[in-house]
Amino acid sequence: MRTPSPLLLAALLLPLPCLVQAADATRLSLADAEKRLLETNPAILQAKAAVAGARAGIDMAGARPNPTLTASVTSINPSRNSGAAWDRPMDSVLRVDQLLERGDKRDLRLRAA
């Protein structure tokens, strides 16, 4: 008697995992089926993502504006010609700006979101 080839054995054994999964699917309880539906249904997953996006929009609308830090040089003395630009005297400015909202703008943004 001739021995079967490994390719033929693989082709015969390939459907076995599908049969095992089909047997497990028949033993699925109602609670497990509902849980699986909530975890894998594309429409439900899309709705959850939309709700998360709406919550993020509300969080962004309620955020207060951040302060702004600016550093600049206003005047460089060109008369002192030492060669390097960093060695010349210069006036430096460091500035912090904070936006103050009036008229309950934050509350209006939150209501609109």
Side-chain angles (χ1 to χ4, degrees):
M1 179 180 241
R2 198 172 135 182
T3 59
S5 71
L7 188 60
L8 179 63
L9 284 175
L12 291 174
L13 296 176
L14 188 64
L16 285 179
C18 297
L19 294 174
V20 171
Q21 286 179 354
D24 288 342
T26 57
R27 295 186 213 135
L28 191 63
S29 68
L30 179 61
D32 290 338
E34 288 175 349
K35 181 181 175 187
R36 227 180 246 187
L37 173 72
L38 293 175
E39 291 174 352
T40 60
N41 187 336
I44 293 174
L45 293 175
Q46 185 178 12
K48 285 181 181 180
V51 169
R55 285 188 184 135
I58 292 171
D59 290 344
M60 287 172 41
R64 290 185 168 80
N66 289 329
T68 305
L69 177 68
T70 307
S72 63
V73 175
T74 58
S75 174
I76 299 176
N77 188 356
S79 64
R80 193 169 157 201
N81 212 358
S82 63
W86 300 110
D87 293 336
R88 296 181 183 163
M90 55 183 90
D91 295 332
S92 302
V93 176
L94 187 64
R95 176 178 164 168
V96 177
D97 294 321
Q98 174 66 53
L99 178 67
L100 299 175
E101 295 181 329
R102 300 180 334 178
D104 295 329
K105 288 183 182 178
R106 181 174 178 253
D107 293 334
L108 293 173
R109 278 196 317 267
L110 282 171
R111 277 191 241 143

